[in-house]
Amino acid sequence: MAEITFPIGPIHPALKEPERFMITVEGETVVNADIRIGHIHRGIEKLVESRTYIQNLYLTERICGICSFTHTTNFCQATEDILGIAPPPRGLYLRTIVNELERIHSHLLWVGVAGHEMGFDTLFMYSWDDREVVQDILELMTGNRVNYAYNTIGGVRRDLNQSVSDKLLKGMDFLETRMKAYVDIGLNETTILKRTQGIGILKQPEARKYSAVGPRLRACGIAYDVRKADPHAAYGEIPFDVITAETSDVHGQYVVRALETIESIKMVRYMVKNLPAGDIRVKAPRKVPPGEAISRTEAPRGEDIHYLRSNGTDKPDRLRVRTPTMANILNVAHTLKGAQIADVPMIVAGIDPCMGCMDRVLIIDNDKETSNMVDMEELRKYAIEWYKEAPNR
Amino acid sequence: MAEEKTIQTLTQLFKSKGITAEFTAPRERRIFITVEREQLKTAILTVFRELDMWHLISTSAVDAGDHFEALYHTASENKTITFKVILSKEDPTLPTITDILPAAVLYEREFHDVMGFIIEGHPDMRPLILPENWGDKGYPLRKDWVDPRKKGGDA
């Protein structure tokens, strides 16, 4: 059978993070997959060099629209590391609380996206509705829903008062019952089992070989979590379990994310109840002495790393950012090989990239040298129909 | 400190293998190892085998004014080890490490894109983050790079 190559992606003006996958298929089976990233390269690493540390807080916040807090945490931690200052315990706890709230909202968002990709829109509606609860808490606590502007070098910018923390705990109780329902759905609902089990399998040796990160890695049975491996902020003092799954497939990632959210809810509750008293920030000097630091955090999608080099002025000399999707995209290209076309959306959605990449599909038939445009919606519908025709595929 | 103990073990191991290296540990769980370009791969392999490591977490390319620096950040369950290679401005050539750490394949392409490092033996050197038609507009993260738009060209 002739091989056909078609690109998925790269761009949709309304969404973020476009990537292009060049997929070579033989019949229904993917035989090769190649990645092209950089379509929305914004030159942030260069821009950082011409801004002061305070200005860069707002710039690094805008690296990602979903895990914005993890980037400012990283930038603050690296700067604090070079300055040799440590935020007060209360500041660290508040920072950690927002980090975990961000994980809860990001994982709920993923459950919805995964539900949508597999044609299970009811799940999408419910999980995004529940996500509003955590979004409201974030807005109440920080003042914003997306770019919180909560972190600063030396601590955080707003304190938590009694009425907000009461609402926070109430929201956590509600979300815990809801999350238990999502775990139940994930383990028993036929639609989810059919579309995720045995799909996108990444074996442990390959996961290590391609240095996978985050839930993708933990779904392969490797208990690796930066919160445990490199305890930053208040993570060293908070009890929590690292969730793993043994199945190595997309279903494993669903289970890991759902159970991880419950862990996060417990952590937030623990931190609010054991919040130390005192200041929330220390004053940091404007100029940073020459030095270098690496800061690592566990973003919702995996490990996020900032490497900062300072030169004694009020502007950084170099900031290097490695985002989790950059690390995971390599193993996606690997797991796509041997998959069915209909499973491509689920495998790519599995690592929780931004779905902008999947929005436009161009199919080129090498034999006829014709090309026609298909958009992502059609590929999604095609996948749902393909499974409907013969549910036992 | 656990880092000092690790450094002691590694110093002896490096001596027995004839690798010259410089160790620093600025804070807990962080170790920097400066190695020669020719001995980079042996150093990485030695450390990975000794400490049972597998995780390449990131790489960074730095323009330090009179020289370049290539950094390879690796991690294990309880430490972050960075390998640092100092390169001259005239000859920013590096050996590929994709044969020992396949996860480096994208990072090395980025090395070339942003800083103009030449990676010897890399299987696939297409641009990663810069567009295909970037051409000879230079390497944007070098300190002496000037935005082509300022010189009347297009971006």
Side-chain angles (χ1 to χ4, degrees):
Chain A
M1 201 182 291
E3 286 185 358
I4 296 169
T5 304
F6 67 95
I8 299 181
I11 211 149
H12 185 294
L15 296 169
K16 57 205 171 306
E17 281 189 356
E19 293 134 349
R20 190 183 70 197
F21 290 84
M22 290 295 290
I23 308 275
T24 309
V25 292
E26 206 185 287
E28 287 285 339
T29 314
V30 177
V31 291
N32 199 13
D34 185 30
I35 346 153
R36 178 80 174 92
I37 61 166
H39 296 284
I40 45 160
H41 182 64
R42 289 165 290 171
I44 283 183
E45 290 184 14
K46 186 76 180 172
L47 200 53
V48 162
E49 295 169 11
S50 60
R51 313 238 156 165
T52 65
Y53 285 90
I54 298 298
Q55 287 173 326
N56 278 328
L57 275 177
Y58 301 92
L59 182 60
T60 48
E61 187 136 54
R62 279 147 184 83
I63 290 174
C64 179
I66 296 171
C67 42
S68 61
F69 196 76
T70 203
H71 287 287
T72 49
T73 307
N74 255 340
F75 184 72
C76 291
Q77 281 177 4
T79 316
E80 285 156 7
D81 206 356
I82 299 178
L83 283 169
I85 58 172
R90 192 179 174 88
L92 287 178
Y93 265 69
L94 290 173
R95 197 180 265 181
T96 317
I97 289 173
V98 177
N99 245 323
E100 287 311 309
L101 289 174
E102 185 176 76
R103 190 180 323 280
I104 296 169
H105 101 67
S106 176
H107 282 357
L108 275 170
L109 182 132
W110 181 82
V111 168
V113 170
H116 177 68
E117 291 306 322
M118 65 180 86
F120 188 6
D121 276 326
T122 316
L123 181 66
F124 163 66
M125 295 291 179
Y126 273 110
S127 72
W128 279 42
D129 185 31
D130 291 334
R131 182 171 164 266
E132 285 304 306
V133 174
V134 66
Q135 290 290 80
D136 286 346
I137 290 172
L138 279 166
E139 190 178 2
L140 205 59
M141 204 177 152
T142 67
N144 287 310
R145 281 166 60 93
V146 179
N147 293 324
Y148 318 113
Y150 192 62
N151 253 329
T152 191
I153 297 158
V156 293
R157 294 178 57 219
R158 277 164 167 240
D159 206 347
L160 186 68
N161 63 27
Q162 193 58 44
S163 81
V164 174
S165 74
D166 287 346
K167 281 182 187 146
L168 210 166
L169 288 174
K170 218 170 134 193
M172 289 301 114
D173 289 341
F174 171 76
L175 281 175
E176 192 170 21
T177 43
R178 296 299 301 158
M179 273 326 291
K180 284 186 176 149
Y182 290 127
V183 173
D184 193 39
I185 290 170
L187 294 175
N188 297 307
E189 169 63 45
T190 327
T191 313
I192 294 183
L193 298 179
K194 288 259 183 221
R195 289 298 305 273
T196 58
Q197 277 185 332
I199 286 159
I201 288 180
L202 183 71
K203 296 227 165 65
Q204 269 198 24
E206 268 88 40
R208 286 172 197 269
K209 186 175 156 194
Y210 294 113
S211 285
V213 294
R216 169 81 269 193
L217 182 64
R218 292 193 282 280
C220 305
I222 300 172
Y224 187 89
D225 191 316
V226 181
R227 293 175 290 171
K228 283 269 192 232
D230 189 31
H232 50 88
Y235 284 114
E237 302 167 18
I238 299 152
F240 70 99
D241 293 327
V242 176
I243 308 289
T244 56
E246 300 298 328
T247 50
S248 310
D249 54 6
V250 179
H251 187 251
Q253 295 181 61
Y254 182 101
V255 174
V256 165
R257 285 201 177 91
L259 292 175
E260 225 172 65
T261 315
I262 295 180
E263 265 324 286
S264 294
I265 292 169
K266 286 182 191 157
M267 287 163 80
V268 171
R269 203 180 283 145
Y270 176 89
M271 284 185 281
V272 173
K273 286 182 179 157
N274 296 287
L275 196 62
D279 289 337
I280 55 166
R281 63 182 288 192
V282 290
K283 207 166 162 34
R286 277 176 189 218
K287 287 187 179 174
V288 179
E292 57 186 350
I294 303 161
S295 173
R296 305 166 64 197
T297 54
E298 184 74 24
R301 295 156 187 192
E303 183 174 3
D304 178 37
I305 298 144
H306 283 209
Y307 168 80
L308 179 71
R309 172 81 60 99
S310 57
N311 55 7
T313 63
D314 60 351
K315 289 172 186 149
D317 196 45
R318 173 91 168 91
L319 178 75
R320 156 79 169 143
V321 180
R322 204 282 273 126
T323 57
T325 305
M326 172 85 170
N328 268 339
I329 212 78
L330 206 56
N331 67 56
V332 168
H334 173 77
T335 43
L336 280 176
K337 284 174 202 165
Q340 303 289 307
I341 297 180
D343 292 332
V344 170
M346 272 324 289
I347 293 173
V348 178
I351 65 153
D352 192 9
C354 299
M355 294 311 293
C357 55
M358 298 288 287
D359 211 74
R360 196 187 58 162
V361 177
L362 175 75
I363 294 184
I364 303 169
D365 190 330
N366 273 354
D367 295 342
K368 294 177 194 158
E369 291 204 348
T370 55
S371 66
N372 49 358
M373 302 286 290
V374 185
D375 73 6
M376 177 55 203
E377 195 52 27
E378 274 176 58
L379 183 65
R380 191 179 73 85
K381 280 184 188 146
Y382 170 81
I384 293 166
E385 285 301 320
W386 195 76
Y387 274 99
K388 248 188 212 164
E389 269 170 32
N392 293 325
R393 263 170 173 151
Chain B
M1 210 160 90
E3 286 68 40
E4 277 164 18
K5 215 175 148 195
T6 315
I7 288 178
Q8 267 177 12
T9 326
L10 290 180
T11 317
Q12 278 173 7
L13 201 69
F14 274 27
K15 207 177 256 176
S16 70
K17 296 214 169 192
I19 307 168
T20 43
E22 207 179 289
F23 296 88
T24 46
R27 53 161 273 203
E28 55 175 350
R29 298 189 299 273
R30 297 280 187 279
I31 295 173
F32 285 82
I33 307 175
T34 313
V35 287
E36 295 286 322
R37 167 171 71 189
E38 289 72 24
Q39 292 174 322
L40 171 71
K41 271 205 258 191
T42 343
I44 293 178
L45 274 180
T46 312
V47 172
F48 269 46
R49 271 192 205 127
E50 171 68 21
L51 302 175
D52 193 24
M53 288 167 67
W54 53 272
H55 207 11
L56 175 75
I57 53 173
S58 177
T59 60
S60 311
V62 179
D63 183 349
D66 56 345
H67 64 270
F68 291 124
E69 284 172 27
L71 295 100
Y72 299 82
H73 311 290
T74 61
S76 73
E77 262 69 28
N78 52 12
K79 42 184 99 57
T80 308
I81 297 179
T82 299
F83 296 88
K84 191 188 275 188
V85 179
I86 304 218
L87 298 166
S88 71
K89 286 242 157 167
E90 293 75 39
D91 178 28
T93 316
L94 277 168
T96 180
I97 60 160
T98 48
D99 47 346
I100 55 171
L101 293 175
V105 65
L106 296 181
Y107 301 138
E108 287 188 344
R109 280 167 69 181
E110 194 177 347
F111 263 176
H112 180 79
D113 270 18
V114 300
M115 210 58 101
F117 293 171
I118 295 153
I119 314 291
E120 279 175 343
H122 192 282
D124 171 18
M125 279 312 283
R126 288 171 300 157
L128 181 73
I129 52 173
L130 295 180
E132 279 93 349
N133 60 357
W134 186 253
D136 55 354
K137 295 192 189 105
Y139 305 108
L141 281 183
R142 287 191 180 181
K143 295 282 179 201
D144 56 6
W145 182 78
V146 184
D147 191 332
R149 284 170 296 188
K150 284 182 184 164
K151 295 187 285 192
D154 54 31

